Amino acid sequence: TCKNKLKLQKKQVRERRDAIMKDNAGIAMSEGESIALEQVKMTNDNMAKSHYHTYFELYYLEEGTRYHVVEDMVCCLNPKNFILFPPYVMHHSYSDKDVRFKRTLIYFTKAMISDSQIFSILSKNIWQYGEDDGEEILRLIHEIVKEQEKGDAYSQKYIYFLLNQILVKLVRKKIKPEGAEGEDRIMN
């Protein structure tokens, strides 16, 4: 009947959508990993609803343009831009129709952050970074990808080191050193 055919079509659309939007890194995190990385190249992968994670998300855009709805604001990411979401921040992303994009996600837990001060700083805000920060971060992300593929006895330790190198660089870009007032001071 027509009703059954419509149900079958809706089910097939859902299955195709789920196959396209499958979050392998998120699956790894739900299985107990403390860090997971995923690289994707897609067109028209638009999230309909906001979501949050119980872990951090570093979203690096290599190609295309993506919009991120973060709580009550919209952030536009262009190539070499990236954004860091702390846990429990509602967000979703989308592109204009037929815009191809390439992105890398790194999900990681608090246990992967070596320093409590860095954890505290990164937990307080959403952090968006521009193109001038992107090249060095991308190099470190590619190192993490290589190390993940290598998978030897030291890979997890090296990935931990690389992630923390990224996080220190991010914090340095956004935080003035304590006591810095933006001018030189000479004490008499």
Side-chain angles (χ1 to χ4, degrees):
T1 67
C2 286
K3 196 173 190 178
N4 287 341
K5 189 174 184 179
L6 183 60
K7 281 183 185 180
L8 178 62
Q9 286 175 337
K10 284 182 180 181
K11 182 181 177 193
Q12 289 170 335
V13 166
R14 276 194 312 274
E15 287 171 352
R16 270 188 304 218
R17 183 196 66 218
D18 291 345
I20 290 170
M21 297 179 76
K22 189 172 185 179
D23 182 2
N24 292 313
I27 292 167
M29 295 300 286
S30 70
E31 293 173 350
E33 294 293 328
S34 53
I35 186 168
L37 183 140
E38 184 172 45
Q39 294 183 302
V40 172
K41 213 177 221 187
M42 286 191 166
T43 306
N44 297 329
D45 178 27
N46 296 320
M47 298 176 177
K49 294 182 180 180
S50 288
H51 63 282
Y52 68 87
H53 310 284
T54 57
Y55 40 81
F56 289 88
E57 175 182 344
L58 177 65
Y59 185 111
Y60 185 95
L61 188 67
E62 291 186 53
E63 298 172 12
T65 300
R66 294 289 282 175
Y67 302 97
H68 289 264
V69 177
V70 184
E71 294 177 339
D72 61 349
M73 64 181 174
V74 177
C75 303
C76 178
L77 265 63
N78 293 303
K80 300 179 187 171
N81 292 173
F82 53 103
I83 192 165
L84 178 70
F85 300 103
Y88 303 105
V89 171
M90 295 295 290
H91 64 280
H92 72 273
S93 64
Y94 65 93
S95 292
D96 293 327
K97 187 172 176 18
D98 298 328
V99 173
R100 188 159 180 78
F101 69 95
K102 180 180 178 184
R103 60 103 168 122
T104 300
L105 289 178
I106 302 177
Y107 295 144
F108 58 95
T109 64
K110 176 183 178 179
M112 290 298 293
I113 302 174
S114 65
D115 182 83
S116 61
Q117 184 179 11
I118 290 173
F119 169 77
S120 178
I121 291 166
L122 295 177
S123 295
K124 291 179 183 170
N125 293 302
I126 297 129
W127 302 90
Q128 184 174 356
Y129 298 85
E131 187 175 329
D132 57 327
D133 307 311
E135 288 293 328
E136 177 66 9
I137 300 304
L138 182 59
R139 185 189 67 73
L140 293 167
I141 288 170
H142 285 165
E143 282 290 313
I144 291 173
V145 170
K146 284 185 213 169
E147 203 57 41
Q148 185 175 344
E149 290 168 355
K150 185 181 269 186
D152 69 15
Y154 297 102
S155 290
Q156 275 305 105
K157 291 181 188 308
Y158 191 50
I159 288 170
Y160 176 84
F161 166 75
L162 291 167
L163 175 66
N164 280 279
Q165 192 174 356
I166 290 170
L167 299 179
V168 167
K169 287 179 180 295
L170 300 185
V171 169
R172 279 183 168 168
K173 284 288 188 181
K174 287 295 184 184
I175 304 298
K176 280 187 183 179
E178 246 180 85
E181 302 292 334
E183 58 186 63
D184 292 337
R185 291 185 178 232
I186 300 173
M187 303 300 275
N188 291 332

